Amino acid sequence: MSSAPKISVIVPIYNVEKYLKKCLDSLASQTLKDIEVILVNDGSTDRSGEIMHQYAAKFSNFYAFDKTNGGLGQARNFGVTFAKGRYIAFVDSDDFVEPAAYEKMYSTAELTHSDLVIGNVIRFNAYKKFPSVLHQKVFSGTKLKTHVTRDHELIYDTTAWNKLFRTSFWKANHFSFPEKMLYEDIPITFPAHYLATTVDVLEDVVYAWRFRSFGDHSITQSRTDISNLRDRLKAIDMLNNFFEDQMITGELCEAKDYKLLSTDFLLYMNKLPAADSAYADYLLHYVTEYLREVPEKVLLRLQPIDRMKYYFVKEQDKEKLFRLINFQKTADFRRRRIIGRADGHYYDDLPFHDLVPKSFLQIENNLKVVQRTKKIFWDHNELVVKGSGFIEKIDVLRKKDVTMKFSLINEATGECIPISLTQLKKSRINTVRAAISGRIRKPHFDLVYHYDWSAFVVRIPFDRHPFEDLSSGTYTIRGEINAGGLSRSFIVAGKLGEKDLLQNIGKRDKIIRAKSGGSGKLYIVRE
């Protein structure tokens, strides 16, 4: 290896002996070989240190360091002092990195000269992989040379380990993780996004984030511990201080408030009935003070039940707040129907609905499209996509209750080409699927809404007008649903696995490729 590697990967290690080998194997097998792996044993009391030194002895680009326990933030900062790479990356030692992760991120950074590259994340446990809800809002597609001031969804990208930081950028801004606290990523990630000249967003999954279960929870999964709560609120204070120091106002500030209200605070508020009074009083006092500065229009973006929770926090009515939290866990909450009124709006049917402003119950803006793709295949020169889509909580029991249209959209130019060969079909599977909820051990079947007319078949004939003269580029399929007086658009998603679907349309130079993005979005590439 050269004296200045392309990337320095810093791996803090503490009591992870049963996970560590998988993590280090993923780093040893990276397709980009010119990296250095800096291993920091943060005072482990199990065999983690021994395993670390075994890998350092085996691989010439692995370097092992032992230190007394000081926490994750301190261990990361310690590792940075040894970094020689052009870029810096962090990995938690119970997770793993996809084989081509650093090759993809490095080549992107060198192409765009961005200060920061972020990659998509998948969660996993002992049994399966599943989407990371935290990251789904961020990675809707690959975006090069973007910025959080233009793409507010980047505010949800709060983890340090799915990133590549340009080392000169890191040092110029004197970044350092807070020490002796949890949630040390939050005070670093947003400032990095904001201070970066540009940021690259890669839709491809680069990082696998472990979810521990069955008595092996990580510290950050212990939501009812008051020290956990204090650290989360301390991290939020540090974030808010940065906003004040940089005098960030307007839509970006509102996006931050919405993120905190819809995600961070609710993680703890929804645990209040299981927490002690000291925990509850501490959290409610903090949230009450925070709400004084939040515009009502931000609250109205939340789900109605969450708007009501915050309403009763402001009213200091702990009893009604707790009853709402507990109601959300019941069968009555699952079985409730929304109410359409003569004023043309839909309203949620919740307890204490007569005690809150009417606007707090209005729900139509919260109703999203649920879309699935069942099958994608070539039928001669037609690409066929079979799937389903419906607006949640809006009945489509009869064919006349819904219309669906589809178009092919050029990602670069926005050109829209209507797809005429589409069919709407009847299928009970979405009605049944929506009725089944709960965990495997305690499943529920609540038949509340009917989505019978939600299946579709889309055929794109690439040997016929207007698709036979399709320009080179990348396309998506956009659908539009009209039902119950509401209109919603969506981008068709479909998992094709690792292999793309290729078709040569009549001429050798006319190749059509269907492929899946890291977020599941279906792409059609005219080569």
Side-chain angles (χ1 to χ4, degrees):
M1 179 181 293
S2 64
S3 59
K6 291 176 178 176
I7 301 174
S8 297
V9 183
I10 295 149
V11 187
I13 298 167
Y14 180 72
N15 288 355
V16 285
E17 62 177 336
K18 64 181 178 179
Y19 307 127
L20 185 55
K21 289 184 178 181
K22 185 177 183 67
C23 173
L24 300 186
D25 285 343
S26 75
L27 295 172
S29 61
Q30 285 295 299
T31 56
L32 180 65
K33 300 303 180 184
D34 192 7
I35 66 174
E36 64 173 0
V37 180
I38 298 170
L39 307 173
V40 181
N41 176 27
D42 189 38
S44 297
T45 57
D46 64 1
R47 292 185 57 251
S48 296
E50 179 184 337
I51 295 169
M52 174 189 78
H53 283 285
Q54 289 174 357
Y55 275 77
K58 183 177 179 181
F59 298 102
S60 61
N61 62 329
F62 280 50
Y63 303 92
F65 300 90
D66 292 286
K67 62 180 288 296
T68 56
N69 181 257
L72 180 59
Q74 187 185 94
R76 285 175 175 169
N77 294 334
F78 178 85
V80 168
T81 64
F82 297 96
K84 300 176 183 176
R86 198 179 311 169
Y87 298 89
I88 296 172
F90 300 94
V91 174
D92 282 1
S93 51
D94 53 350
D95 302 332
F96 67 89
V97 185
E98 295 294 334
Y102 293 129
E103 182 175 10
K104 291 177 180 179
M105 298 173 86
Y106 176 82
S107 62
T108 301
E110 289 293 285
L111 173 68
T112 63
H113 305 291
S114 290
D115 292 319
L116 181 64
V117 181
I118 66 173
N120 206 348
V121 177
I122 196 79
R123 296 221 70 174
F124 74 103
N125 58 21
Y127 306 101
K128 63 179 181 178
K129 291 183 178 181
F130 50 97
S132 171
V133 175
L134 176 66
H135 295 89
Q136 281 182 317
K137 292 187 177 183
V138 181
F139 296 97
S140 58
T142 293
K143 302 172 187 176
L144 302 183
K145 303 187 76 170
T146 187
H147 197 266
V148 70
T149 54
R150 300 190 298 274
D151 186 358
H152 296 166
E153 297 300 319
L154 294 179
I155 204 166
Y156 290 86
D157 178 50
T158 58
T159 50
W161 28 248
N162 63 323
K163 297 175 174 51
L164 200 63
F165 300 87
R166 190 175 296 273
T167 304
S168 58
F169 166 68
W170 182 276
K171 292 181 177 179
N173 288 283
H174 307 287
F175 289 133
S176 178
F177 289 97
E179 299 184 3
K180 300 186 184 301
M181 65 174 284
L182 304 174
Y183 306 108
E184 59 286 302
D185 290 9
I186 294 173
I188 289 290
T189 50
F190 180 82
H193 270 289
Y194 189 78
L195 296 173
T197 304
T198 57
V199 176
D200 299 327
V201 180
L202 299 186
E203 184 184 10
D204 291 351
V205 173
V206 302
Y207 195 91
W209 179 18
R210 183 181 297 276
F211 182 87
R212 299 193 195 182
S213 54
F214 301 109
D216 187 28
H217 289 171
S218 66
I219 297 173
T220 55
Q221 288 174 238
S222 304
R223 303 287 183 204
T224 55
D225 181 81
I226 195 166
S227 63
N228 182 305
L229 171 63
R230 286 197 179 103
D231 281 356
R232 185 64 168 244
L233 298 183
K234 181 179 178 180
I236 290 171
D237 282 338
M238 296 171 78
L239 173 64
N240 285 324
N241 289 340
F242 181 83
F243 268 74
E244 291 179 8
D245 292 344
Q246 298 290 325
M247 295 183 288
I248 304 170
T249 58
E251 292 183 357
L252 183 56
C253 191
E254 291 174 7
K256 178 262 298 179
D257 289 336
Y258 175 75
K259 188 261 183 186
L260 293 176
L261 291 171
S262 64
T263 305
D264 299 65
F265 294 150
L266 286 180
L267 285 172
Y268 294 86
M269 278 180 51
N270 288 336
K271 298 289 185 181
L272 281 175
D276 60 32
S277 59
Y279 178 104
D281 292 343
Y282 187 83
L283 175 60
L284 293 177
H285 174 75
Y286 185 98
V287 175
T288 300
E289 292 300 311
Y290 195 88
L291 288 170
R292 297 184 193 278
E293 307 298 326
V294 176
E296 185 174 283
K297 65 179 179 179
V298 175
L299 279 172
L300 293 179
R301 290 174 58 192
L302 300 168
Q303 292 290 334
I305 193 165
D306 295 327
R307 298 174 205 161
M308 292 183 68
K309 291 173 192 174
Y310 287 115
Y311 179 87
F312 290 119
V313 168
K314 291 177 72 173
E315 293 291 308
Q316 299 185 36
D317 194 332
K318 190 187 297 185
E319 178 191 356
K320 291 185 179 62
L321 170 64
F322 279 36
R323 285 175 63 181
L324 277 175
I325 293 169
N326 287 325
F327 173 72
Q328 197 170 14
K329 303 172 185 176
T330 66
D332 286 341
F333 178 76
R334 295 193 307 272
R335 292 169 183 159
R336 80 198 192 286
R337 288 185 63 89
I338 62 173
I339 301 168
R341 294 274 167 82
D343 60 6
H345 294 297
Y346 288 96
Y347 295 87
D348 212 341
D349 186 16
L350 296 168
F352 315 120
H353 58 83
D354 55 337
L355 301 179
V356 301
K358 191 176 179 182
S359 59
F360 275 51
L361 297 168
Q362 195 170 317
I363 196 173
E364 64 258 24
N365 290 338
N366 302 93
L367 303 180
K368 309 300 182 185
V369 171
V370 178
Q371 190 267 318
R372 291 182 177 86
T373 299
K374 181 180 179 181
K375 194 173 183 181
I376 307 167
F377 61 94
W378 284 102
D379 182 8
H380 297 92
N381 290 326
E382 289 185 350
L383 182 67
V384 183
V385 181
K386 294 184 176 182
S388 62
F390 57 88
I391 304 172
E392 58 183 351
K393 304 185 189 305
I394 299 297
D395 284 312
V396 285
L397 189 57
R398 301 162 299 178
K399 188 175 184 179
K400 68 178 184 178
D401 294 333
V402 59
T403 61
M404 259 192 255
K405 299 178 182 178
F406 293 87
S407 302
L408 200 62
I409 308 296
N410 187 304
E411 285 268 280
T413 67
E415 178 190 10
C416 176
I417 307 172
I419 303 170
S420 59
L421 296 179
T422 63
Q423 290 179 286
L424 185 64
K425 290 182 169 290
K426 186 175 183 179
S427 173
R428 291 275 292 171
I429 186 63
N430 285 321
T431 297
V432 173
R433 186 182 283 122
I436 299 172
S437 60
R439 297 183 182 274
I440 294 174
R441 293 183 181 180
K442 294 182 179 180
H444 311 293
F445 188 85
D446 299 317
L447 190 60
V448 181
Y449 293 99
H450 296 82
Y451 307 117
D452 292 19
W453 284 92
S454 58
F456 63 77
V457 179
V458 175
R459 290 178 172 268
I460 310 175
F462 284 99
D463 58 350
R464 280 180 275 166
H465 182 77
F467 305 102
E468 62 181 344
D469 298 320
L470 197 68
S471 303
S472 297
T474 300
Y475 296 77
T476 56
I477 301 174
R478 184 175 68 198
E480 183 180 304
I481 302 175
N482 289 277
L486 302 179
S487 179
R488 294 288 185 273
S489 62
F490 63 96
I491 299 298
V492 173
K495 289 291 186 182
L496 289 173
E498 296 181 359
K499 292 186 177 181
D500 300 343
L501 290 177
L502 292 172
Q503 184 76 351
N504 189 327
I505 311 295
K507 303 175 183 177
R508 281 190 137 184
D509 62 344
K510 190 174 181 181
I511 303 293
I512 304 294
R513 179 190 304 268
K515 59 184 291 187
S516 293
S519 63
K521 188 186 296 184
L522 176 64
Y523 291 102
I524 297 168
V525 181
R526 163 66 165 90
E527 298 182 349

